Amino acid sequence: MSNSQSLDLHTLSSLIKVFPDTQPAEDTYQASVLQGETFSFQVAYYAYEPLRDVHVDFGAGRGLSVDGRRVGLVASELAVYPGHDDWVLRANPGLFPDPLYPVGDDSSLVIPAHQWRALWVTVRIQPDCEPERHSVTVRFRTASGTPLGSAEFWLDVLPVQMPTPALLHTEWFYTDCLATWHRVRGFSKSHWRWIDRYLQNAVDHGVNTILTPLFTPPLDTMPGGERPTMQLVGVGRKDGQYSFNFTQLDRWVDLCQRRGITHFEWAHLFTQWGARYAPKIVVREGGVERVHFGWRTPAAEDPYSDFLKAFLPALARYTRRSGLQGRTLFHVADEPSGQDLAAYRLASSMVRGQTGGAPILDALSDFRFYQQGLVDVPVVATDHVDPFLQASVANLWVYYCCSQDQAVSNRFFAMPSVRTRLLGLQLFKYQIKGFLHWGYNHWYGYRSRHPIDPFLTTDVECAYPSGDAFVVYPSDAGPIDSLRWEVFYQGLQDLAVFDLYRERVGPEAALSLLEQGLPSPLTFRTGPVADAWLLGRREAVNRALAAPG
C-alpha cells in the first residue's frame, strides 16, 4: 500500500472483487508466470477528495506488454436465486464490479471520494521474454504531471512455455445480438466486420468451437416467437425439390478458421426444451423468401423429415469438400428433460446416420439419453455429472448455466472469482473433453422477446442471475471484456499448465500436487476454497515445471 496526499493504492490478485463500499484486505501477493502467458492483477485505489482527469502510466521490462482497464460497476436486480448456497460475496441487489473499460492515452479516470475502485492490469508475457524477475509499475498522476501515487508488482518469469489448452470450448455466439446492438443488417458487410471483432475476442479467451447458424438457432425463444433471421445456408425449393447454397457458410468457416476456430457446432435442428418443432428456416420458392418451417412445423411431420433427408446429405458433402471431417458437431435439441425422452428419441433418429460420421452433442443431464444411445457426446450440467463420471463416458463435456448455484463453479456477479477460476482445475482432474456455455453475448431479454441494454439489464429481466447471459459488453469499438471473462480464461490457463505437468510426471503425481491442502479430494462440488489455495496450487505447478530435471 502506498499513501499520497489524496490517493491510497493496494495491489491485489485478480481474484478479489473490489466493491466501492468495502476496503479490500491487504494483499502481498506475488506470482510466477510462464513465457507466453497472459497474467492479470489489480490496483485498488481510494481518494479522500474527488479527482478528475487522473492519468495512469504503466512500465515493465522488455518482453512484457502491459495495459490497464478500469473496473466498472453495473447494477444487478437479481444477483442470485432464492435458495442459493453461502459461497457468494453478497446476495442483495446492488452494484457489482464487472466491465473492464479501456484506460488509454486519450482516457483518464474520474475518481469519486471515499469509494474503493480498481484498475485491472493485464500483462502479456512474450514467448521469448527473459526468464528472470520483472517489475511492473503503475503510476497515477494529474493531467499536469503531478504524482498521485504508484504501485509495483513483481513477476518471476520462468523458462517454461505456456501450452495451449486441449479443451474444446464453446461460448454460444449470437450473431443476431451483434446485428441488433450495432444496428446492421444480418450478414451485411458491416455485420461481418462486427462478427470478426467479437470472434477474435472469443478466440483470445480460449474459444475454439463456434455455434454456427446454419439456420436461426432455436435457443432461448418464447414458443411461437422468433429471433431475427440468421441463416447461413440458402435454401431453395422448386417442384418439391430442395436446393442449398453454402456460399455464406463458406465465408463463415473461412473467417472462423483464420481467427483460430478449429471446430464447428451446427446449430440445433429442433427446438429447445423438448425437440418437438422445427427451427425457423427461410426458403426461397417462386422468387419469394418466406419462413417455411418453425413453430407450426411439428418435428414428427413428413415435411420436415423430407427436408432433413435432403439437407443432411448435402451438408455432409459440404463438410467433406471443405475439409471439416472430424471437426463438426451436430445438435439435435438443447436441454431436453426426462419427460422429453420420446420426442428426443424421434428427433435423434431423424438425424442419426445422416451426419457424415460427426457426433451428436447436446446439453442434457438425464443419463438415460446417453444410456439409450440417443446422444454420442453428452454435455452434462456440473451438478449432475456424477453418473456420467462413474460410467466413464468417453469424450465427456460439461456445462453450467443459471441453475448451477449449489457448491459448483459458476460466474455470477455475486460469486467470488475463485469460484469461477476453479473450473479449470476440475476440468483437469476429470480430463473433461469440452466445456459449453450458452451465453457469450446474449443481449436480449427473457425468451429473446426484445433487445436489452446489457449495461442496465444484467439479469435477463430478473430471469437469470447477473453474469449468466453474457461475458462481454458491446461498444462502438468492439467487445468490452468482463472481469469474469478474464478470470475464466485464467482457469483455462491453469488447466493447460496442469495438463503439461501431467504429461511429464503422470496423472497420479499431478493430481497429488493439485489436491495438496484440500481437506478432501477435489470434485465438481468442491467448495468453497480460498483464493490462497488456488493461487498456491498454480504457483506450485509453475515451480515444479521449472525445476531442473
Side-chain angles (χ1 to χ4, degrees), residues 445-462:
Y446 181 67
R447 295 292 184 265
S448 304
R449 292 177 297 181
H450 48 253
I452 53 94
D453 184 335
F455 296 96
L456 301 177
T457 303
T458 60
D459 48 29
V460 195
E461 300 175 307
C462 292

mmCIF file with all atom_site columns, all heavy atoms in Angstrom, residues 445-462:
data_model
loop_
_atom_site.group_PDB
_atom_site.id
_atom_site.type_symbol
_atom_site.label_atom_id
_atom_site.label_alt_id
_atom_site.label_comp_id
_atom_site.label_asym_id
_atom_site.label_entity_id
_atom_site.label_seq_id
_atom_site.pdbx_PDB_ins_code
_atom_site.Cartn_x
_atom_site.Cartn_y
_atom_site.Cartn_z
_atom_site.occupancy
_atom_site.B_iso_or_equiv
_atom_site.pdbx_formal_charge
_atom_site.auth_seq_id
_atom_site.auth_comp_id
_atom_site.auth_asym_id
_atom_site.auth_atom_id
_atom_site.pdbx_PDB_model_num
ATOM 1   N N   . GLY A 1 445 ? -33.755 -9.830  -23.897 1.00 0.00 ? 445 GLY A N   1
ATOM 2   C CA  . GLY A 1 445 ? -34.499 -10.048 -22.675 1.00 0.00 ? 445 GLY A CA  1
ATOM 3   C C   . GLY A 1 445 ? -34.996 -11.479 -22.562 1.00 0.00 ? 445 GLY A C   1
ATOM 4   O O   . GLY A 1 445 ? -34.603 -12.374 -23.329 1.00 0.00 ? 445 GLY A O   1
ATOM 5   N N   . TYR A 1 446 ? -35.868 -11.698 -21.605 1.00 0.00 ? 446 TYR A N   1
ATOM 6   C CA  . TYR A 1 446 ? -36.373 -13.039 -21.316 1.00 0.00 ? 446 TYR A CA  1
ATOM 7   C C   . TYR A 1 446 ? -37.017 -13.661 -22.555 1.00 0.00 ? 446 TYR A C   1
ATOM 8   O O   . TYR A 1 446 ? -37.864 -13.057 -23.202 1.00 0.00 ? 446 TYR A O   1
ATOM 9   C CB  . TYR A 1 446 ? -37.390 -12.969 -20.176 1.00 0.00 ? 446 TYR A CB  1
ATOM 10  C CG  . TYR A 1 446 ? -37.966 -14.304 -19.779 1.00 0.00 ? 446 TYR A CG  1
ATOM 11  C CD1 . TYR A 1 446 ? -37.157 -15.279 -19.194 1.00 0.00 ? 446 TYR A CD1 1
ATOM 12  C CD2 . TYR A 1 446 ? -39.300 -14.596 -20.010 1.00 0.00 ? 446 TYR A CD2 1
ATOM 13  C CE1 . TYR A 1 446 ? -37.677 -16.512 -18.843 1.00 0.00 ? 446 TYR A CE1 1
ATOM 14  C CE2 . TYR A 1 446 ? -39.835 -15.825 -19.652 1.00 0.00 ? 446 TYR A CE2 1
ATOM 15  C CZ  . TYR A 1 446 ? -39.010 -16.783 -19.071 1.00 0.00 ? 446 TYR A CZ  1
ATOM 16  O OH  . TYR A 1 446 ? -39.534 -17.999 -18.729 1.00 0.00 ? 446 TYR A OH  1
ATOM 17  N N   . ARG A 1 447 ? -36.535 -14.844 -22.892 1.00 0.00 ? 447 ARG A N   1
ATOM 18  C CA  . ARG A 1 447 ? -37.004 -15.598 -24.052 1.00 0.00 ? 447 ARG A CA  1
ATOM 19  C C   . ARG A 1 447 ? -36.835 -14.810 -25.359 1.00 0.00 ? 447 ARG A C   1
ATOM 20  O O   . ARG A 1 447 ? -37.574 -14.986 -26.317 1.00 0.00 ? 447 ARG A O   1
ATOM 21  C CB  . ARG A 1 447 ? -38.450 -16.055 -23.885 1.00 0.00 ? 447 ARG A CB  1
ATOM 22  C CG  . ARG A 1 447 ? -38.657 -17.052 -22.740 1.00 0.00 ? 447 ARG A CG  1
ATOM 23  C CD  . ARG A 1 447 ? -38.002 -18.391 -23.039 1.00 0.00 ? 447 ARG A CD  1
ATOM 24  N NE  . ARG A 1 447 ? -38.275 -19.383 -22.010 1.00 0.00 ? 447 ARG A NE  1
ATOM 25  C CZ  . ARG A 1 447 ? -37.477 -19.653 -20.975 1.00 0.00 ? 447 ARG A CZ  1
ATOM 26  N NH1 . ARG A 1 447 ? -36.336 -18.980 -20.832 1.00 0.00 ? 447 ARG A NH1 1
ATOM 27  N NH2 . ARG A 1 447 ? -37.777 -20.574 -20.094 1.00 0.00 ? 447 ARG A NH2 1
ATOM 28  N N   . SER A 1 448 ? -35.883 -13.897 -25.360 1.00 0.00 ? 448 SER A N   1
ATOM 29  C CA  . SER A 1 448 ? -35.490 -13.165 -26.574 1.00 0.00 ? 448 SER A CA  1
ATOM 30  C C   . SER A 1 448 ? -36.638 -12.362 -27.177 1.00 0.00 ? 448 SER A C   1
ATOM 31  O O   . SER A 1 448 ? -36.723 -12.187 -28.397 1.00 0.00 ? 448 SER A O   1
ATOM 32  C CB  . SER A 1 448 ? -34.922 -14.133 -27.627 1.00 0.00 ? 448 SER A CB  1
ATOM 33  O OG  . SER A 1 448 ? -33.850 -14.873 -27.092 1.00 0.00 ? 448 SER A OG  1
ATOM 34  N N   . ARG A 1 449 ? -37.493 -11.834 -26.311 1.00 0.00 ? 449 ARG A N   1
ATOM 35  C CA  . ARG A 1 449 ? -38.645 -11.097 -26.826 1.00 0.00 ? 449 ARG A CA  1
ATOM 36  C C   . ARG A 1 449 ? -38.273 -9.721  -27.357 1.00 0.00 ? 449 ARG A C   1
ATOM 37  O O   . ARG A 1 449 ? -38.951 -9.176  -28.221 1.00 0.00 ? 449 ARG A O   1
ATOM 38  C CB  . ARG A 1 449 ? -39.712 -10.974 -25.729 1.00 0.00 ? 449 ARG A CB  1
ATOM 39  C CG  . ARG A 1 449 ? -40.355 -12.307 -25.366 1.00 0.00 ? 449 ARG A CG  1
ATOM 40  C CD  . ARG A 1 449 ? -41.346 -12.157 -24.237 1.00 0.00 ? 449 ARG A CD  1
ATOM 41  N NE  . ARG A 1 449 ? -40.707 -11.713 -23.003 1.00 0.00 ? 449 ARG A NE  1
ATOM 42  C CZ  . ARG A 1 449 ? -41.336 -11.522 -21.858 1.00 0.00 ? 449 ARG A CZ  1
ATOM 43  N NH1 . ARG A 1 449 ? -42.642 -11.722 -21.788 1.00 0.00 ? 449 ARG A NH1 1
ATOM 44  N NH2 . ARG A 1 449 ? -40.685 -11.152 -20.771 1.00 0.00 ? 449 ARG A NH2 1
ATOM 45  N N   . HIS A 1 450 ? -37.187 -9.136  -26.847 1.00 0.00 ? 450 HIS A N   1
ATOM 46  C CA  . HIS A 1 450 ? -36.749 -7.826  -27.304 1.00 0.00 ? 450 HIS A CA  1
ATOM 47  C C   . HIS A 1 450 ? -35.312 -7.597  -26.840 1.00 0.00 ? 450 HIS A C   1
ATOM 48  O O   . HIS A 1 450 ? -34.820 -8.291  -25.941 1.00 0.00 ? 450 HIS A O   1
ATOM 49  C CB  . HIS A 1 450 ? -37.656 -6.711  -26.759 1.00 0.00 ? 450 HIS A CB  1
ATOM 50  C CG  . HIS A 1 450 ? -37.909 -6.821  -25.295 1.00 0.00 ? 450 HIS A CG  1
ATOM 51  N ND1 . HIS A 1 450 ? -39.111 -7.223  -24.773 1.00 0.00 ? 450 HIS A ND1 1
ATOM 52  C CD2 . HIS A 1 450 ? -37.097 -6.621  -24.217 1.00 0.00 ? 450 HIS A CD2 1
ATOM 53  C CE1 . HIS A 1 450 ? -39.042 -7.254  -23.451 1.00 0.00 ? 450 HIS A CE1 1
ATOM 54  N NE2 . HIS A 1 450 ? -37.827 -6.900  -23.088 1.00 0.00 ? 450 HIS A NE2 1
ATOM 55  N N   . PRO A 1 451 ? -34.630 -6.616  -27.438 1.00 0.00 ? 451 PRO A N   1
ATOM 56  C CA  . PRO A 1 451 ? -33.257 -6.323  -27.008 1.00 0.00 ? 451 PRO A CA  1
ATOM 57  C C   . PRO A 1 451 ? -33.247 -5.674  -25.626 1.00 0.00 ? 451 PRO A C   1
ATOM 58  O O   . PRO A 1 451 ? -34.238 -5.079  -25.188 1.00 0.00 ? 451 PRO A O   1
ATOM 59  C CB  . PRO A 1 451 ? -32.743 -5.343  -28.071 1.00 0.00 ? 451 PRO A CB  1
ATOM 60  C CG  . PRO A 1 451 ? -33.729 -5.416  -29.195 1.00 0.00 ? 451 PRO A CG  1
ATOM 61  C CD  . PRO A 1 451 ? -35.034 -5.807  -28.597 1.00 0.00 ? 451 PRO A CD  1
ATOM 62  N N   . ILE A 1 452 ? -32.101 -5.809  -24.962 1.00 0.00 ? 452 ILE A N   1
ATOM 63  C CA  . ILE A 1 452 ? -31.878 -5.086  -23.705 1.00 0.00 ? 452 ILE A CA  1
ATOM 64  C C   . ILE A 1 452 ? -30.536 -4.359  -23.798 1.00 0.00 ? 452 ILE A C   1
ATOM 65  O O   . ILE A 1 452 ? -29.713 -4.634  -24.691 1.00 0.00 ? 452 ILE A O   1
ATOM 66  C CB  . ILE A 1 452 ? -31.891 -6.031  -22.479 1.00 0.00 ? 452 ILE A CB  1
ATOM 67  C CG1 . ILE A 1 452 ? -30.910 -7.207  -22.656 1.00 0.00 ? 452 ILE A CG1 1
ATOM 68  C CG2 . ILE A 1 452 ? -33.291 -6.579  -22.253 1.00 0.00 ? 452 ILE A CG2 1
ATOM 69  C CD1 . ILE A 1 452 ? -29.561 -7.019  -22.082 1.00 0.00 ? 452 ILE A CD1 1
ATOM 70  N N   . ASP A 1 453 ? -30.339 -3.427  -22.916 1.00 0.00 ? 453 ASP A N   1
ATOM 71  C CA  . ASP A 1 453 ? -29.038 -2.767  -22.773 1.00 0.00 ? 453 ASP A CA  1
ATOM 72  C C   . ASP A 1 453 ? -28.280 -3.528  -21.691 1.00 0.00 ? 453 ASP A C   1
ATOM 73  O O   . ASP A 1 453 ? -28.653 -3.483  -20.516 1.00 0.00 ? 453 ASP A O   1
ATOM 74  C CB  . ASP A 1 453 ? -29.227 -1.309  -22.366 1.00 0.00 ? 453 ASP A CB  1
ATOM 75  C CG  . ASP A 1 453 ? -27.914 -0.545  -22.285 1.00 0.00 ? 453 ASP A CG  1
ATOM 76  O OD1 . ASP A 1 453 ? -26.858 -1.194  -22.073 1.00 0.00 ? 453 ASP A OD1 1
ATOM 77  O OD2 . ASP A 1 453 ? -27.934 0.691   -22.408 1.00 0.00 ? 453 ASP A OD2 1
ATOM 78  N N   . PRO A 1 454 ? -27.222 -4.263  -22.040 1.00 0.00 ? 454 PRO A N   1
ATOM 79  C CA  . PRO A 1 454 ? -26.554 -5.094  -21.033 1.00 0.00 ? 454 PRO A CA  1
ATOM 80  C C   . PRO A 1 454 ? -25.839 -4.308  -19.950 1.00 0.00 ? 454 PRO A C   1
ATOM 81  O O   . PRO A 1 454 ? -25.457 -4.887  -18.930 1.00 0.00 ? 454 PRO A O   1
ATOM 82  C CB  . PRO A 1 454 ? -25.571 -5.919  -21.863 1.00 0.00 ? 454 PRO A CB  1
ATOM 83  C CG  . PRO A 1 454 ? -25.337 -5.117  -23.096 1.00 0.00 ? 454 PRO A CG  1
ATOM 84  C CD  . PRO A 1 454 ? -26.637 -4.409  -23.375 1.00 0.00 ? 454 PRO A CD  1
ATOM 85  N N   . PHE A 1 455 ? -25.666 -3.007  -20.147 1.00 0.00 ? 455 PHE A N   1
ATOM 86  C CA  . PHE A 1 455 ? -25.092 -2.189  -19.079 1.00 0.00 ? 455 PHE A CA  1
ATOM 87  C C   . PHE A 1 455 ? -26.139 -1.837  -18.020 1.00 0.00 ? 455 PHE A C   1
ATOM 88  O O   . PHE A 1 455 ? -25.804 -1.490  -16.899 1.00 0.00 ? 455 PHE A O   1
ATOM 89  C CB  . PHE A 1 455 ? -24.496 -0.898  -19.654 1.00 0.00 ? 455 PHE A CB  1
ATOM 90  C CG  . PHE A 1 455 ? -23.333 -1.132  -20.579 1.00 0.00 ? 455 PHE A CG  1
ATOM 91  C CD1 . PHE A 1 455 ? -23.520 -1.176  -21.950 1.00 0.00 ? 455 PHE A CD1 1
ATOM 92  C CD2 . PHE A 1 455 ? -22.058 -1.311  -20.072 1.00 0.00 ? 455 PHE A CD2 1
ATOM 93  C CE1 . PHE A 1 455 ? -22.454 -1.393  -22.805 1.00 0.00 ? 455 PHE A CE1 1
ATOM 94  C CE2 . PHE A 1 455 ? -20.978 -1.536  -20.923 1.00 0.00 ? 455 PHE A CE2 1
ATOM 95  C CZ  . PHE A 1 455 ? -21.184 -1.574  -22.289 1.00 0.00 ? 455 PHE A CZ  1
ATOM 96  N N   . LEU A 1 456 ? -27.418 -1.952  -18.409 1.00 0.00 ? 456 LEU A N   1
ATOM 97  C CA  . LEU A 1 456 ? -28.507 -1.620  -17.496 1.00 0.00 ? 456 LEU A CA  1
ATOM 98  C C   . LEU A 1 456 ? -29.265 -2.851  -17.017 1.00 0.00 ? 456 LEU A C   1
ATOM 99  O O   . LEU A 1 456 ? -29.759 -2.880  -15.882 1.00 0.00 ? 456 LEU A O   1
ATOM 100 C CB  . LEU A 1 456 ? -29.493 -0.658  -18.177 1.00 0.00 ? 456 LEU A CB  1
ATOM 101 C CG  . LEU A 1 456 ? -28.915 0.676   -18.658 1.00 0.00 ? 456 LEU A CG  1
ATOM 102 C CD1 . LEU A 1 456 ? -30.001 1.486   -19.383 1.00 0.00 ? 456 LEU A CD1 1
ATOM 103 C CD2 . LEU A 1 456 ? -28.350 1.472   -17.501 1.00 0.00 ? 456 LEU A CD2 1
ATOM 104 N N   . THR A 1 457 ? -29.371 -3.852  -17.865 1.00 0.00 ? 457 THR A N   1
ATOM 105 C CA  . THR A 1 457 ? -30.083 -5.084  -17.525 1.00 0.00 ? 457 THR A CA  1
ATOM 106 C C   . THR A 1 457 ? -29.100 -6.236  -17.605 1.00 0.00 ? 457 THR A C   1
ATOM 107 O O   . THR A 1 457 ? -28.742 -6.678  -18.698 1.00 0.00 ? 457 THR A O   1
ATOM 108 C CB  . THR A 1 457 ? -31.256 -5.323  -18.489 1.00 0.00 ? 457 THR A CB  1
ATOM 109 O OG1 . THR A 1 457 ? -32.135 -4.201  -18.456 1.00 0.00 ? 457 THR A OG1 1
ATOM 110 C CG2 . THR A 1 457 ? -32.024 -6.571  -18.100 1.00 0.00 ? 457 THR A CG2 1
ATOM 111 N N   . THR A 1 458 ? -28.657 -6.709  -16.472 1.00 0.00 ? 458 THR A N   1
ATOM 112 C CA  . THR A 1 458 ? -27.612 -7.740  -16.435 1.00 0.00 ? 458 THR A CA  1
ATOM 113 C C   . THR A 1 458 ? -28.162 -9.113  -16.075 1.00 0.00 ? 458 THR A C   1
ATOM 114 O O   . THR A 1 458 ? -27.398 -10.077 -16.018 1.00 0.00 ? 458 THR A O   1
ATOM 115 C CB  . THR A 1 458 ? -26.526 -7.353  -15.417 1.00 0.00 ? 458 THR A CB  1
ATOM 116 O OG1 . THR A 1 458 ? -27.125 -7.238  -14.124 1.00 0.00 ? 458 THR A OG1 1
ATOM 117 C CG2 . THR A 1 458 ? -25.874 -6.028  -15.791 1.00 0.00 ? 458 THR A CG2 1
ATOM 118 N N   . ASP A 1 459 ? -29.468 -9.212  -15.830 1.00 0.00 ? 459 ASP A N   1
ATOM 119 C CA  . ASP A 1 459 ? -30.056 -10.455 -15.331 1.00 0.00 ? 459 ASP A CA  1
ATOM 120 C C   . ASP A 1 459 ? -31.218 -10.944 -16.188 1.00 0.00 ? 459 ASP A C   1
ATOM 121 O O   . ASP A 1 459 ? -32.114 -11.617 -15.699 1.00 0.00 ? 459 ASP A O   1
ATOM 122 C CB  . ASP A 1 459 ? -30.521 -10.263 -13.882 1.00 0.00 ? 459 ASP A CB  1
ATOM 123 C CG  . ASP A 1 459 ? -31.334 -8.980  -13.703 1.00 0.00 ? 459 ASP A CG  1
ATOM 124 O OD1 . ASP A 1 459 ? -31.997 -8.548  -14.670 1.00 0.00 ? 459 ASP A OD1 1
ATOM 125 O OD2 . ASP A 1 459 ? -31.287 -8.408  -12.611 1.00 0.00 ? 459 ASP A OD2 1
ATOM 126 N N   . VAL A 1 460 ? -31.209 -10.575 -17.478 1.00 0.00 ? 460 VAL A N   1
ATOM 127 C CA  . VAL A 1 460 ? -32.248 -11.013 -18.417 1.00 0.00 ? 460 VAL A CA  1
ATOM 128 C C   . VAL A 1 460 ? -33.633 -10.739 -17.834 1.00 0.00 ? 460 VAL A C   1
ATOM 129 O O   . VAL A 1 460 ? -34.494 -11.617 -17.777 1.00 0.00 ? 460 VAL A O   1
ATOM 130 C CB  . VAL A 1 460 ? -32.076 -12.504 -18.791 1.00 0.00 ? 460 VAL A CB  1
ATOM 131 C CG1 . VAL A 1 460 ? -32.908 -12.856 -20.023 1.00 0.00 ? 460 VAL A CG1 1
ATOM 132 C CG2 . VAL A 1 460 ? -30.626 -12.843 -19.063 1.00 0.00 ? 460 VAL A CG2 1
ATOM 133 N N   . GLU A 1 461 ? -33.817 -9.497  -17.394 1.00 0.00 ? 461 GLU A N   1
ATOM 134 C CA  . GLU A 1 461 ? -35.097 -9.061  -16.836 1.00 0.00 ? 461 GLU A CA  1
ATOM 135 C C   . GLU A 1 461 ? -35.505 -9.920  -15.635 1.00 0.00 ? 461 GLU A C   1
ATOM 136 O O   . GLU A 1 461 ? -36.617 -10.421 -15.551 1.00 0.00 ? 461 GLU A O   1
ATOM 137 C CB  . GLU A 1 461 ? -36.181 -9.086  -17.915 1.00 0.00 ? 461 GLU A CB  1
ATOM 138 C CG  . GLU A 1 461 ? -35.864 -8.179  -19.102 1.00 0.00 ? 461 GLU A CG  1
ATOM 139 C CD  . GLU A 1 461 ? -36.865 -8.293  -20.224 1.00 0.00 ? 461 GLU A CD  1
ATOM 140 O OE1 . GLU A 1 461 ? -37.119 -9.429  -20.678 1.00 0.00 ? 461 GLU A OE1 1
ATOM 141 O OE2 . GLU A 1 461 ? -37.387 -7.250  -20.648 1.00 0.00 ? 461 GLU A OE2 1
ATOM 142 N N   . CYS A 1 462 ? -34.554 -10.071 -14.713 1.00 0.00 ? 462 CYS A N   1
ATOM 143 C CA  . CYS A 1 462 ? -34.758 -10.817 -13.463 1.00 0.00 ? 462 CYS A CA  1
ATOM 144 C C   . CYS A 1 462 ? -35.110 -12.287 -13.708 1.00 0.00 ? 462 CYS A C   1
ATOM 145 O O   . CYS A 1 462 ? -35.792 -12.919 -12.895 1.00 0.00 ? 462 CYS A O   1
ATOM 146 C CB  . CYS A 1 462 ? -35.824 -10.155 -12.595 1.00 0.00 ? 462 CYS A CB  1
ATOM 147 S SG  . CYS A 1 462 ? -35.298 -8.555  -11.945 1.00 0.00 ? 462 CYS A SG  1
#
